[in-house]
Amino acid sequence: MSSLLKRSSKGQAKSQMLEESPLTGRDRGKPSRNLHAGSRVAILSGVLFLSGIGALIFETLWLRLSGLAFGNSVWAAALILSSFMAGLALGNAIAASSSVRRWRPLHLYAVLEVLVALFGCTIVFGLPLMGELMRPVWQMLWNYQPTLIGLRFVLSFLVLLIPTTAMGLTLPVLVEDPILRRVNFGRAIGFLYGSNTLGAVAGAVLGEGYLIGAFGVHGTGVAAGLTVCIAAAIALLVARVDGDTAVFIPQRMFPLRLNISYRPPWRLLFVAFGTGCVLLSLEVIWFRFLRLYVASSPTAFAIMLAVVLAGIGLGGIAAGAINRRSAWLHQLLPALLLLAAIAVLLSYLFFPGEAVRTPAGAFSLASWWQIALLCVALMFPASFLSGILFPTIVALVQARAENRMNSTGITTLFNTTGAAAGPLIASFVLLPAIGYQWSLLICAAGYALLGILVSEGSSWSIRRPIGVATIAFCGTAMLLLAILPYHRAESHFEHASRPYVTDEHGEVRAHVVKRIEGTSDTLQLLRRDLFGEPYYYRLLTNAFTMSATNPRSQRYMRLFAYLPLAFRPESEDVLLICYGCGVTADAFLHGLHVKRMDVVDISKEVFALADFYSTINYSNPLRDPRVHAIVQDGRFFLQASPRQYDIISGEPPPPKVAGSVNLYTEEFFSLMNGRLKEGGIATFWLPINQLKVEEAKAILRAFHNAFANASIWASADLEWIMMGIKGPGRGIKEEEIARLWSEATTSADLTRIGMEVPQQLGALFLMDGDEIDRITRDVAPLTDNYPKRLSDAPWDEKANFEFAATYMEPASVTERFLRSPLINRIWPEALSKSMKSLFAVRETRFLSETVGSNKLAELDLFLRGTRLRMPILEALGSDELRLAIAQRVARETESPPLEIVPDLIAGALARRDLDEAIRLLECQKDRGAFGVRETLLLTYLYCLNGDVAKAETLVADNAGSIKKDGFVDWLWAKLQADFGFQPPR
């Protein structure tokens, strides 16, 4: 045996003797001392529990606010997380190389906690101001991106340095408490570490679930500071109760002294590094996987984090209960690592995704228990074992290094360093390269390899029960890796896409054309075909539909461009925040004077999909030389870019998607205003159908606070468009707006989305700033400090409908339109005539889409009361895209397929070609594809075309199939009154 192993064995034996017989001769026969030591562990565990609450709250607040100050892009988030981890590691490194001198450990611990509280609160209040102060610097360095990135890292590191370093020192300093020396170290570190982590669980739940909503971000920071200060006060009180009357702050004496008198056990430290790296990698991979089942809401993320931390914390408590002797721990460690590998594989293999269904894209607190169940099933077993592993490794290191503070510090240093590397490896290497399933398997294999690495010959002895268990665990892990069904990933992807691939009858209507597992999200691009040709695409991000090119979506997305282009036709510089499927970008490029368009999106994968879209009214905008695609957080781009724009438009993810709320706050809208030229226009998405009414009003209040000239516009849906003008705005001449319809490309594009005449742009109006003031008089705006004014609570569809319907009513909206100071200033008076009839068309379509309507009554209104095409197509279930595909198919066949005939009929009626529509219906009748719906439509068209006799004959021939109901009674009465039709008796 080598001398090193001999020294190691002697050190273990010595440590074991000290741990098993911790009492001095003077203490023997005094069991009260043991009881006192046990009470000290319990009290200090409570102290660390409070510390964990405050630390986790601070951590989440710092990361949130740092993202607002330094950016939320994938790289910026990585830099901020690295800065946080670097501070913790520095504290660990100090603990690993120092000893406490002339200070009582509890005194030093209290000072460290006060530093965390003081600087933690300072950061919470100061980071927003720092973002404002650094804006000129960001703008100056914008064209020097490497320098800008480096500066952001240095600043974030310096900002977080003191409190994170103090955090990294707290646990190592606390274990130096003299009375804790009477307790087995493995037992003490397990209870202390576990309690601290369970406190973090409480912090995650309290912060996200209550504090931020009740007190705002600043108030939550103060609450975290108070919690940490209470922990410090209890530590001081405990020291005083012990009769410690030493001077609290010794003069001219720094509390720590450099002291490295031990030889680090490198193999154990490498295992500490590896376990930290694997667990944090797994956390990233687990969260990515769960988002295929769970909506990406702040509450869902808080539950995910709480489950992981609860597993670690309870594992730490379990380690404290079982860690008795270092020799036993050395045999146990390989088995624990192999068991962790098995837990990772089995949790994934038996994940109950189909048993517990959470609706894709749903934001409902009613399903929090389902989210928790899925999280527990996937993450808790491995997290629990990881919680046992850390105290076990610390205890083994202490058996070699002897000094408790040094051993805790150096083990935590390596574990923290691994934890810092894990998310970076998972996000930037594993997930983009091999996907979540193989990444999961590699992490499981990592645990197994660490178990083999740390094992010794005796670990595999069949003469010992632990040896038999180790062999069995190793064989089980290898068997699971060999037999795991590697096609299982497809079923999980399919779960996320199923609501959008199949219809209500379970029939497949779309298919996946491209899937990307990127650095931050899983993206799936679905294509819906119609008559064998591409009809529209849908972009899924994780389990949520983020964008689509279907006709309904195209309408409001293109209006984000055409509204500001109409009111500022001279626009040359355009900024689009969030690319989606590229619909808005495509529309902006139709602007007659647009010379440059910057498109900013946080996801490079979204840009990578741009070439996969193929429809009749779309070409890849990114190939246009005027377009500059920028992978960046939209908010930081507004802060850092020095360019000014004529138009800024934003279609970010829905407000309730995690991380999106700060793109709907007053501060964000003020940034938009600041980047506009004088007279510039901003348009922004407001999805009323995904918000509670009060939440929508809070966003409206925030937008109006940033834009004095604010107004709201919408088509016949709940996808509202907020429009803000910097300055008073200028009057637009009739010929300037009409030019959009005189140019071939813009005219065709506008007609396809139902904007057939210039007056229809005006008929999108809902309200101006005066009305926003009226309805939000008692509503607080959504701000960065109060993000929980936008909750995860489900919205009330009935209340949303009633709120929106109020602003669709033709008489009242016409009155608001005509008396609006903004409209009178910017809208051509010549185009204000006949607005009420167009508002009535919008209301009819809105009611039809939301509550249903009499389709023939709609058709009659549109055919006889307007010259518009789109309302007729929509009333008959068609649209311009469907019609174009149907017409192309019809031209290529001698007899049009029956499936395209309804669209051809709708197209004929949209042209007011009654004869062609009647001919198509008669052909359909001759081919046997003729039901009651077609019979009633043909009856109506015969009467409308002046052939009442044919209508009566048709009804008489089909009287047996026509069942009388309210609709039929209405139709007979209508035809009799208008055309003299005699209904059957």
Side-chain angles (χ1 to χ4, degrees):
M1 184 181 293
S2 67
S3 59
L4 175 59
L5 289 177
K6 288 179 182 177
R7 283 199 302 271
S8 176
S9 299
K10 290 177 182 178
Q12 289 185 41
K14 180 180 178 183
S15 176
Q16 183 175 334
M17 288 173 58
L18 288 172
E19 290 175 351
E20 291 178 347
S21 303
L23 302 179
T24 65
R26 190 167 39 187
D27 292 328
R28 292 190 184 96
K30 296 182 180 180
S32 62
R33 291 295 185 95
N34 283 329
L35 181 62
H36 183 43
S39 300
R40 176 62 64 91
V41 172
I43 293 171
L44 295 185
S45 294
V47 168
L48 283 177
F49 181 86
L50 292 173
S51 175
I53 293 175
L56 196 283
I57 293 175
F58 270 138
E59 179 184 349
T60 55
L61 294 181
W62 294 342
L63 294 179
R64 178 196 291 262
L65 294 171
S66 295
L68 298 181
F70 303 122
N72 268 315
S73 67
V74 176
W75 284 106
L79 290 175
I80 294 167
L81 179 62
S82 298
S83 302
F84 180 85
M85 290 295 191
L88 292 179
L90 179 60
N92 302 150
I94 293 172
S97 57
S98 307
S99 60
V100 180
R101 64 172 185 172
R102 299 196 182 185
W103 279 51
R104 298 296 183 265
L106 289 182
H107 289 171
L108 178 55
Y109 171 82
V111 170
L112 291 172
E113 291 289 22
V114 170
L115 285 175
V116 171
L118 178 62
F119 283 91
C121 289
T122 302
I123 291 170
V124 169
F125 283 89
L127 267 177
L129 299 176
M130 185 177 184
E132 292 287 332
L133 293 174
M134 292 302 297
R135 191 180 304 168
V137 179
W138 303 148
Q139 294 174 0
M140 181 178 65
L141 296 176
W142 180 252
N143 294 323
Y144 306 93
Q145 285 296 315
T147 304
L148 181 59
I149 291 172
L151 179 61
R152 288 151 76 187
F153 173 75
V154 171
L155 285 176
S156 61
F157 174 73
L158 292 176
V159 165
L160 300 175
L161 176 62
I162 293 177
T164 53
T165 301
M167 282 181 176
L169 275 166
T170 49
L171 180 60
V173 166
L174 198 63
V175 298
E176 278 287 274
D177 178 54
I179 294 180
L180 285 183
R181 291 180 179 276
R182 302 173 185 171
V183 181
N184 175 282
F185 179 71
R187 183 178 180 83
I189 193 67
F191 283 121
L192 295 175
Y193 171 73
S195 299
N196 188 247
T197 310
L198 289 177
V201 176
V205 174
L206 276 174
E208 190 63 44
Y210 174 71
L211 291 176
I212 295 178
F215 306 111
V217 170
H218 294 162
T220 301
V222 172
L226 289 174
T227 305
V228 171
C229 286
I230 292 171
I234 295 174
L236 290 176
L237 181 63
V238 170
R240 187 174 184 83
V241 168
D242 285 342
D244 188 353
T245 58
V247 178
F248 178 47
I249 304 180
Q251 296 182 355
R252 299 185 300 277
M253 188 64 65
F254 188 71
L256 296 173
R257 175 179 61 186
L258 182 65
N259 180 29
I260 307 177
S261 59
Y262 61 94
R263 185 171 184 176
W266 295 112
R267 187 163 60 166
L268 283 172
L269 294 177
F270 179 78
V271 173
F273 174 89
T275 52
C277 182
V278 170
L279 181 62
L280 267 291
S281 295
L282 276 173
E283 183 177 314
V284 172
I285 297 162
W286 283 333
F287 283 20
R288 174 73 64 83
F289 170 70
L290 284 168
R291 288 163 71 191
L292 296 175
Y293 286 83
V294 174
S296 299
S297 67
T299 298
F301 274 105
I303 293 172
M304 293 179 197
L305 179 60
V307 169
V308 172
L309 293 174
I312 296 172
L314 292 174
I317 299 295
I322 65 175
N323 286 354
R324 300 284 185 176
R325 296 180 298 120
S326 59
W328 157 255
L329 295 181
H330 198 78
Q331 299 295 325
L332 182 63
L333 184 57
L336 286 173
L337 287 163
L338 291 168
L339 196 57
I342 294 171
V344 171
L345 296 173
L346 289 179
S347 297
Y348 175 65
L349 189 61
F350 294 103
F351 179 73
E354 296 302 316
V356 180
R357 293 179 179 271
T358 52
F363 297 91
S364 173
L365 284 179
S367 63
W368 71 266
W369 66 270
Q370 294 178 313
I371 298 173
L373 180 58
L374 291 176
C375 293
V376 168
L378 180 68
M379 301 187 293
F380 185 83
S383 299
F384 178 79
L385 290 167
S386 295
I388 299 176
L389 282 169
F390 177 76
T392 301
I393 296 170
V394 176
L396 288 170
V397 172
Q398 191 271 337
R400 307 283 182 89
E402 296 188 6
N403 183 285
R404 293 190 171 199
M405 177 174 166
N406 293 159
S407 58
T408 304
I410 195 168
T411 309
T412 310
L413 169 63
F414 277 80
N415 189 255
T416 302
T417 305
L424 302 179
I425 293 171
S427 296
F428 294 104
V429 180
L430 294 179
L431 286 168
I434 58 177
Y436 82 84
Q437 182 170 273
W438 277 104
S439 299
L440 202 73
L441 299 181
I442 285 177
C443 289
Y447 272 135
L449 290 174
L450 289 172
I452 295 171
L453 173 67
V454 79
S455 65
E456 297 180 347
S458 58
S459 302
W460 305 91
S461 174
I462 60 174
R463 296 179 180 179
R464 298 181 178 182
I466 192 66
V468 174
T470 302
I471 294 171
F473 292 156
C474 185
T476 302
M478 295 175 64
L479 180 63
L480 286 172
L481 286 170
I483 67 171
L484 191 81
Y486 292 96
H487 61 276
R488 187 170 179 79
E490 292 300 320
S491 65
H492 299 300
F493 290 128
E494 191 246 341
H495 172 90
S497 62
R498 187 184 304 146
Y500 311 102
V501 168
T502 58
D503 61 16
E504 62 273 14
H505 305 297
E507 296 184 17
V508 176
R509 296 292 187 185
H511 63 281
V512 177
V513 296
K514 183 66 176 178
R515 180 182 296 126
I516 298 178
E517 293 188 68
T519 53
S520 59
D521 295 292
T522 299
L523 289 85
Q524 298 188 80
L525 185 62
L526 312 182
R527 190 177 85 188
R528 166 77 185 276
D529 288 344
L530 186 68
F531 316 136
E533 296 192 25
Y535 178 34
Y536 66 82
Y537 293 83
R538 186 177 298 278
L539 178 61
L540 299 186
T541 302
N542 305 307
F544 192 83
T545 173
M546 200 60 70
S547 188
T549 65
N550 59 307
R552 183 174 179 178
S553 297
Q554 286 215 33
R555 178 176 299 161
Y556 76 83
M557 289 177 183
R558 291 184 180 275
L559 287 173
F560 281 117
Y562 284 121
L563 269 172
L565 287 174
F567 291 117
R568 190 176 171 85
E570 70 274 18
S571 297
E572 296 181 349
D573 297 306
V574 174
L575 171 62
L576 176 61
I577 299 174
C578 298
Y579 182 74
C581 293
V583 174
T584 304
D586 182 65
F588 267 125
L589 293 177
H590 293 154
L592 302 177
H593 299 284
V594 172
K595 294 181 179 179
R596 178 188 175 101
M597 180 170 67
D598 291 339
V599 182
V600 179
D601 201 288
I602 200 169
S603 171
K604 66 178 182 180
E605 291 81 14
V606 168
F607 289 136
L609 290 171
D611 274 326
F612 286 88
Y613 303 97
S614 174
T615 55
I616 59 174
N617 67 329
Y618 176 88
S619 59
N620 184 356
L622 301 184
R623 295 187 178 277
D624 191 296
R626 295 173 291 174
V627 175
H628 301 264
I630 302 163
V631 180
Q632 183 57 268
D633 159 34
R635 178 158 176 158
F636 185 74
F637 181 86
L638 290 173
Q639 286 180 295
S641 172
R643 184 176 291 275
Q644 298 285 113
Y645 296 93
D646 295 292
I647 298 173
I648 299 177
S649 185
E651 296 177 69
K656 296 196 176 188
V657 169
S660 295
V661 63
N662 293 107
L663 298 179
Y664 291 85
T665 61
E666 182 177 331
E667 292 83 353
F668 177 79
F669 296 139
S670 296
L671 284 173
M672 290 181 69
N673 194 328
R675 295 264 59 82
L676 284 171
K677 299 175 184 178
E678 185 63 27
I681 298 177
T683 54
F684 210 78
W685 184 42
L686 182 62
I688 296 296
N689 56 333
Q690 297 182 40
L691 297 164
K692 298 169 72 174
V693 172
E694 290 305 305
E695 294 169 346
K697 290 180 179 179
I699 295 175
L700 287 171
R701 182 68 266 166
F703 188 79
H704 192 25
N705 284 353
F707 288 95
N709 264 326
S711 53
I712 311 299
W713 308 72
S715 184
D717 52 37
L718 297 174
E719 313 286 355
W720 287 12
I721 300 171
M722 299 184 291
M723 187 174 81
I725 303 175
K726 184 173 184 176
R730 72 172 183 87
I732 304 299
K733 298 178 182 179
E734 180 182 0
E735 54 269 23
E736 289 181 290
I737 291 184
R739 192 174 176 187
L740 288 172
W741 278 265
S742 63
E743 294 288 334
T745 54
T746 54
S747 176
D749 203 34
L750 284 162
T751 300
R752 270 192 294 265
I753 62 171
M755 296 290 107
E756 302 172 44
V757 294
Q759 290 89 335
Q760 282 184 281
L761 274 183
L764 298 170
F765 177 81
L766 291 175
M767 69 182 85
D768 62 6
D770 292 342
E771 182 64 12
I772 295 174
D773 283 333
R774 189 187 69 81
I775 65 175
T776 62
R777 184 175 296 114
D778 300 320
V779 177
L782 183 65
T783 63
D784 290 343
N785 189 37
Y786 287 96
K788 284 297 181 179
R789 286 174 182 159
L790 204 63
S791 71
D792 289 341
W795 49 83
D796 185 336
E797 293 184 0
K798 181 181 178 182
N800 288 346
F801 164 75
E802 291 173 351
F803 175 60
T806 302
Y807 292 96
M808 296 286 181
E809 200 280 318
S812 60
V813 72
T814 302
E815 182 183 353
R816 285 195 304 274
F817 181 86
L818 294 176
R819 62 179 171 81
S820 166
L822 174 65
I823 294 300
N824 289 330
R825 189 164 58 249
I826 67 174
W827 183 255
E829 185 178 355
L831 296 180
S832 296
K833 300 175 182 178
S834 306
M835 292 301 297
K836 186 173 182 180
S837 62
L838 292 174
F839 283 128
V841 170
R842 181 179 66 174
E843 184 194 40
T844 303
R845 291 303 308 141
F846 172 74
L847 294 175
S848 177
E849 292 294 328
T850 52
V851 298
S853 69
N854 182 330
K855 297 298 182 183
L856 268 183
E858 272 193 77
L859 180 63
D860 182 68
L861 170 66
F862 301 144
L863 269 176
R864 302 168 70 187
T866 75
R867 300 301 301 168
L868 301 175
R869 288 174 48 85
M870 184 60 79
I872 294 173
L873 294 176
E874 291 178 334
L876 294 173
S878 187
D879 55 67
E880 292 286 2
L881 295 182
R882 288 182 64 98
L883 178 59
I885 296 172
Q887 289 174 336
R888 189 159 58 240
V889 172
R891 287 194 298 268
E892 296 171 357
T893 57
E894 189 172 330
S895 178
L898 286 172
E899 59 184 348
I900 72 170
V901 171
D903 292 286
L904 297 177
I905 294 170
L909 291 176
R911 299 191 305 271
R912 273 59 177 184
D913 189 347
L914 298 182
D915 291 335
E916 176 64 10
I918 290 171
R919 185 190 69 81
L920 288 167
L921 278 166
E922 289 174 341
C923 288
Q924 194 174 7
K925 179 172 177 288
D926 294 339
R927 295 168 70 179
F930 204 71
V932 175
R933 178 177 177 273
E934 289 76 18
T935 300
L936 297 178
L937 176 59
L938 184 55
T939 301
Y940 167 75
L941 292 180
Y942 277 148
C943 291
L944 190 62
N945 206 34
D947 208 339
V948 177
K950 272 191 175 183
E952 293 173 346
T953 302
L954 177 64
V955 170
D957 292 342
N958 293 275
S961 62
I962 300 174
K963 297 181 179 178
K964 293 199 66 176
D965 55 21
F967 170 71
V968 172
D969 289 340
W970 168 86
L971 180 59
W972 295 163
K974 174 73 174 175
L975 297 181
Q976 186 174 22
D978 290 359
F979 308 108
F981 171 83
Q982 296 299 317
R985 295 181 181 178

